[in-house]
Amino acid sequence: MLTAAPRPHPGPTAGHLATAEAILALLLPHRRTLDDGPHEPGPAAFGPQLRRLLPAIAAGAPVSFTLPGFPCKSPNPAKVLGHLPDEGERLALRFLDGLCARIAAVHPPGARIVLCADGHVFGDLIGVPDAHIDAYGDALRALIRSEGLAHLRLFDLRDVLGDLPYDEKRTRVHARHAPTREALRARIRAGDEETRRLYQGITRFLFEDTASFAGTRSALQRDCRARAYGVIQRSRAWGALIAEQHPEAVRLSIHPQPRGSAKFGIRLLDAPDVWMTPWHACVLQHQDGRRELMRRADAERLGRLVLHQGRPSHFEAV
């Protein structure tokens, strides 16, 4: 007895493309970029993201995003309130969950964001103990549960390599996925602007966050430049692992990204610096209700400390 061949699944239609552009239009106001120009490009200018969105839309499935970040708090006490999440992370997580809810208004199957916490990937290079990174990640998971942020999920090295020692996890990920230091240097020499800016930004963060160093300022700068290459190697390795584990997802980034990149840079909160994140700063709530990220040392001069559940949370302007 002959059976009918299964019908091929219809490909994306003009309606699917319109839905993808509507989703991207919701992201564009929060785009983190260093692009210069008087006009923000429209959704049609972001081909890599549209192509990633279309299969899930055509299948009537939720669209998925991955966002590497939320690693741990900076070890610099002039920047942050401690080693656990505070109001900055709470607001950032609420924003991301709300963005998924707004996407559901134009794509009823909805959206989800996998937060790919990368603290353990390079914690040894930035001087943060693995125990602090675990505590930060566990507190983020608790925050997601307590706030009812159903569109978010945290993913880290524990999900991939279980209970292996963290040094072994880092070694395995680096060996399998990291580019060589020479390859990164070659990209910068060849004019790769994204890699150059990333290298400079990470070098600056490492210099600011080094709590103690037995040497001269110039020696510290050399050390930070060397560690910056290591952080980028590990970050690229983590990105490759994320792509392997979540091949269908649209890749978001907390770093500025140029138009045409496979990654879409996204701002989590207002900040005076496009590189600033909740884990390198704290929140100042202005008297008009506006919330802004800034260094702890600056926020202390402008406001009073607010506690939440007995822990330092943010500052209120006075």
Side-chain angles (χ1 to χ4, degrees):
M1 179 178 178
L2 296 176
T3 58
R7 293 182 180 180
H9 196 281
T13 66
H16 297 143
L17 179 59
T19 298
E21 290 184 345
I23 292 172
L24 201 52
L26 294 171
L27 298 178
L28 282 175
H30 311 287
R31 181 175 172 238
R32 190 190 292 259
T33 178
L34 294 171
D35 291 351
D36 296 322
H39 303 295
E40 178 69 39
F46 293 88
Q49 288 72 40
L50 292 174
R51 288 191 291 273
R52 280 280 183 174
L53 289 166
L54 281 171
I57 294 170
V63 295
S64 61
F65 301 87
T66 51
L67 176 59
F70 294 89
C72 56
K73 284 292 195 183
S74 163
N76 183 348
K79 287 185 172 184
V80 297
L81 290 168
H83 71 273
L84 295 175
D86 53 38
E87 185 71 1
E89 281 83 1
R90 182 179 292 106
L91 292 173
L93 294 174
R94 285 177 181 171
F95 160 72
L96 292 170
D97 192 73
L99 189 60
C100 290
R102 293 194 293 277
I103 288 172
V106 300
H107 178 59
R112 62 180 183 178
I113 298 177
V114 180
L115 307 173
C116 302
D118 46 7
H120 286 301
V121 176
F122 44 69
D124 58 323
L125 295 173
I126 62 175
V128 177
D130 285 312
H132 282 191
I133 298 170
D134 275 336
Y136 180 86
D138 291 343
L140 282 178
R141 288 184 173 89
L143 188 56
I144 289 170
R145 289 194 300 270
S146 66
E147 294 277 329
L149 306 178
H151 304 98
L152 307 182
R153 180 169 75 84
L154 202 69
F155 170 87
D156 63 21
L157 276 180
R158 289 178 284 188
D159 294 291
V160 183
L161 294 171
D163 295 327
L164 289 173
Y166 282 118
D167 284 338
E168 185 173 346
K169 292 177 186 178
R170 286 187 277 266
T171 297
R172 289 193 182 195
V173 172
H174 186 106
R176 180 170 179 180
H177 294 292
T180 65
R181 191 163 298 203
E182 292 70 25
L184 291 175
R185 289 196 176 106
R187 290 179 72 96
I188 293 173
R189 287 195 299 268
D192 184 328
E193 192 66 10
E194 178 189 347
T195 302
R196 183 187 68 81
R197 286 173 171 168
L198 183 62
Y199 169 71
Q200 291 176 336
I202 291 175
T203 300
R204 175 166 65 89
F205 279 131
L206 291 173
F207 187 83
E208 292 174 352
D209 288 358
T210 300
S212 60
F213 184 81
T216 65
R217 182 181 178 88
S218 60
L220 175 58
Q221 289 173 334
R222 288 193 298 273
D223 175 74
C224 291
R225 286 194 289 266
R227 283 190 286 139
Y229 277 114
V231 171
I232 296 173
Q233 285 178 284
R234 303 265 188 89
S235 296
R236 295 280 167 90
W238 183 232
L241 184 61
I242 290 168
E244 182 179 271
Q245 294 285 318
H246 305 278
E248 77 293 345
V250 178
R251 170 68 187 274
L252 303 176
S253 174
I254 53 94
H255 297 135
Q257 300 294 331
R259 185 176 17 158
S261 170
K263 296 175 282 188
F264 186 95
I266 189 164
R267 288 182 290 107
L268 303 179
L269 294 170
D270 285 338
D273 180 342
V274 295
W275 292 92
M276 190 172 284
T277 63
W279 44 94
H280 279 104
C282 63
V283 170
L284 176 70
Q285 181 170 316
H286 294 274
Q287 292 183 352
D288 62 3
R290 182 172 57 91
R291 298 177 177 95
E292 182 181 10
L293 285 176
M294 62 178 62
R295 290 166 53 95
R296 173 185 179 169
D298 297 326
E300 281 180 325
R301 290 195 294 269
L302 299 171
R304 65 175 183 85
L305 182 64
V306 177
L307 303 181
H308 179 76
Q309 296 180 349
R311 291 210 319 259
S313 172
H314 63 286
F315 292 90
E316 283 185 350
V318 295

